[in-house]
Amino acid sequence: MDLAYGEEYERFREEVRAFLAEHGKDAPPQFSRGKSDAQSRAWQQLLIEHGYAARTIPKEYGGYGAEPDVLKAHIIAEEFAKARVRAGHIGDDRLVPTLLELGTEEQKHAYIPPTVRGEMRWCQGYSEPNSGSDLASLSTRAELDGDEFVINGQKIWTSGAQHADMMFCLVRTEPDAPKHQGISYLLFSMDTPGIEVRPLVTMTGEATFNEVFFTDVRVPASQIVGRRGEGWYVANATLKHERGGLGDPNQAETRFLHIVDMMRNETIDGRPLMEYPAYRDRLLKLQGQMLAMRFNGMRILSHAIKGEEPGLPRWIVKLNGCEMNHQMAGMAVDLMGELGVLYHGSPHIRDSGLWQQRYMLDLGLIIGGGTAQIQKNLIGERALGLPKEPKVPPQA
């Protein structure tokens, strides 16, 4: 197997490294919990200008306008991870590719430029109280009234809804159609009359999720993505990007390198933790998992270069990535010893409680975006061709 990139790509790698050496100091903190502040927006704009964010998004939609090149995209992600510099994060990495693929020209011009610049924040209206794992059974309804849809219902576990400017939302527009065929995908402002957001405080101590209620919310019919009743197809295009992002091997490598630093700097009886075999063994196990995910990413990259569907390698990304991130956060908490149990407000807390917060958030992400159990079923049934899980008959 030849893993060499070739002269052209190695020159590009040196360009990326030179940019990071010059501008890396201007980046927001690597773990700033996704805050869209002035520093983050300025950093995003700098990355777009140099082609390190929104790289293949056409210039007319606010991007850099480069031709797609999966190797260059991989090199950018790899070098930013090694330098521990935050890559571009502003701009919804689920909605934008969905609009590029399925949106109208009017929608692309209206929503993509402010989104990639970080001026328009989005939330995802998918899950409902009785429609989480079985998303296609959602019941939030949108009835056409003239040239507007009128929405009534509820969403839950809506990340960032209390801060979002816009929502992309699944609603049932054909109540009599089979459940996968009666759904539509709408875009609308969170300032639309009739929307109520109620934050949900999680075990992290923060309100990262929300309940969202809709009462006679009127949305122009032109703000549908795709055709009416085909929202399930559009939603799956979005979920494909969400699940890939949740298991990003480059982000996992950045976290791993942070843990290596901790083991070199934290001490017990004056000795660095790196000198203790029990900690080194645990670190090596995590490194093995991280490298396996990295090489699985390269396998997916090889399929992309050939224009092939990766199959099983793509299916395992979210499952393995989320579980590995939780294990790494758990190790970081353990490395801090008694300080690892501290949380917000303590004068002795390390890294502003980053790893404690990540440990609990990453546990939730094993559920979010499709639970680990659901992911295993998908891998078994769709990727490996195994028989479907037996259904328990309803009780009389």
Side-chain angles (χ1 to χ4, degrees):
M1 179 183 295
D2 183 7
L3 296 179
Y5 284 82
E7 186 177 343
E8 174 192 352
Y9 291 104
E10 292 306 332
R11 283 198 304 270
F12 180 75
R13 186 184 296 276
E14 291 304 317
E15 292 175 13
V16 178
R17 289 175 176 173
F19 171 86
L20 290 168
E22 181 179 356
H23 298 287
K25 63 184 184 300
D26 301 323
Q30 176 69 36
F31 301 106
S32 61
R33 301 182 190 173
K35 294 179 181 177
S36 179
D37 54 20
Q39 183 186 11
S40 296
R41 290 192 295 272
W43 177 244
Q44 178 77 357
Q45 189 58 43
L46 182 66
L47 294 181
I48 293 174
E49 290 170 1
H50 285 80
Y52 301 136
R55 182 174 178 82
T56 59
I57 295 175
K59 288 186 177 181
E60 60 263 37
Y61 306 138
Y64 180 72
E67 289 296 318
D69 190 318
V70 291
L71 282 179
K72 286 186 176 179
H74 179 74
I75 288 170
I76 292 168
E78 192 174 51
E79 292 302 321
F80 273 73
K82 287 179 180 177
R84 281 174 260 186
V85 172
R86 195 171 82 187
H89 79 291
I90 300 173
D92 195 281
D93 57 2
R94 295 156 295 172
L95 177 70
V96 168
T98 302
L99 287 181
L100 286 171
E101 181 181 350
L102 300 169
T104 64
E105 282 300 309
E106 182 181 1
Q107 290 168 347
K108 293 174 185 177
H109 284 286
Y111 300 123
I112 295 178
T115 300
V116 299
R117 291 194 300 263
E119 298 165 359
M120 182 179 285
R121 295 167 295 182
W122 291 81
C123 61
Q124 175 177 285
Y126 277 19
S127 295
E128 298 182 5
N130 295 313
S131 303
S133 297
D134 183 16
L135 179 60
S137 66
L138 64 90
S139 60
T140 294
R141 297 182 64 164
E143 298 178 349
L144 194 61
D145 180 17
D147 58 357
E148 293 179 318
F149 284 108
V150 181
I151 305 173
N152 286 279
Q154 178 190 356
K155 298 293 178 178
I156 198 168
W157 311 124
T158 311
S159 301
Q162 74 272 49
H163 306 302
D165 304 299
M166 301 285 295
M167 174 183 278
F168 52 97
C169 185
L170 293 180
V171 294
R172 187 161 299 284
T173 51
E174 279 73 37
D176 297 326
K179 65 179 182 178
H180 289 87
Q181 299 173 21
I183 296 170
S184 297
Y185 189 112
L186 300 181
L187 312 175
F188 49 83
S189 169
M190 292 297 287
D191 291 330
T192 307
I195 298 177
E196 180 186 0
V197 177
R198 299 180 190 173
L200 296 169
V201 177
T202 69
M203 60 184 174
T204 66
E206 299 178 357
T208 52
F209 302 116
N210 302 268
E211 295 177 290
V212 183
F213 297 87
F214 307 99
T215 304
D216 294 332
V217 176
R218 304 187 77 89
V219 175
S222 61
Q223 291 177 204
I224 188 171
V225 179
R227 290 187 292 186
R228 179 172 169 173
E230 295 184 358
W232 186 251
Y233 169 75
V234 182
N236 274 280
T238 304
L239 285 171
K240 176 177 65 177
H241 299 290
E242 177 188 18
R243 289 170 179 164
L246 288 173
D248 184 353
N250 294 298
Q251 293 182 17
E253 184 173 3
T254 301
R255 297 188 189 191
F256 176 81
L257 293 173
H258 194 170
I259 293 174
V260 171
D261 282 347
M262 291 179 65
M263 288 187 60
R264 289 171 175 163
N265 297 322
E266 297 285 343
T267 61
I268 297 178
D269 297 329
R271 293 174 58 196
L273 295 182
M274 192 65 80
E275 295 184 10
Y276 289 84
Y279 286 118
R280 284 205 310 270
D281 287 351
R282 190 170 169 187
L283 182 70
L284 285 171
K285 289 179 181 178
L286 284 175
Q287 185 179 35
Q289 290 178 260
M290 183 270 294
L291 290 173
M293 286 300 293
R294 178 179 173 186
F295 289 120
N296 185 68
M298 295 182 74
R299 181 161 55 172
I300 295 172
L301 185 67
S302 298
H303 284 291
I305 292 170
K306 298 175 184 177
E308 300 173 348
E309 167 56 43
L312 180 59
R314 179 170 65 83
W315 284 103
I316 67 173
V317 169
K318 192 272 178 185
L319 173 67
N320 286 357
C322 287
E323 292 186 338
M324 180 176 62
N325 285 339
H326 187 242
Q327 291 172 30
M328 285 196 288
M331 181 171 184
V333 169
D334 290 345
L335 291 175
M336 288 185 279
E338 64 272 17
L339 300 182
V341 301
L342 302 178
Y343 213 55
H344 298 307
S346 170
H348 303 291
I349 201 166
R350 300 288 180 85
D351 294 325
S352 301
L354 163 73
W355 289 108
Q356 293 90 328
Q357 194 264 356
R358 278 200 174 276
Y359 179 79
M360 291 184 282
L361 180 63
D362 288 339
L363 178 61
L365 291 178
I366 293 175
I367 301 171
T371 68
Q373 290 77 14
I374 294 293
Q375 292 297 306
K376 289 174 182 177
N377 280 349
L378 291 174
I379 292 167
E381 295 171 12
R382 300 187 188 180
L384 298 177
L386 299 177
K388 287 193 174 185
E389 182 180 30
K391 300 292 184 181
V392 178
Q395 297 295 319

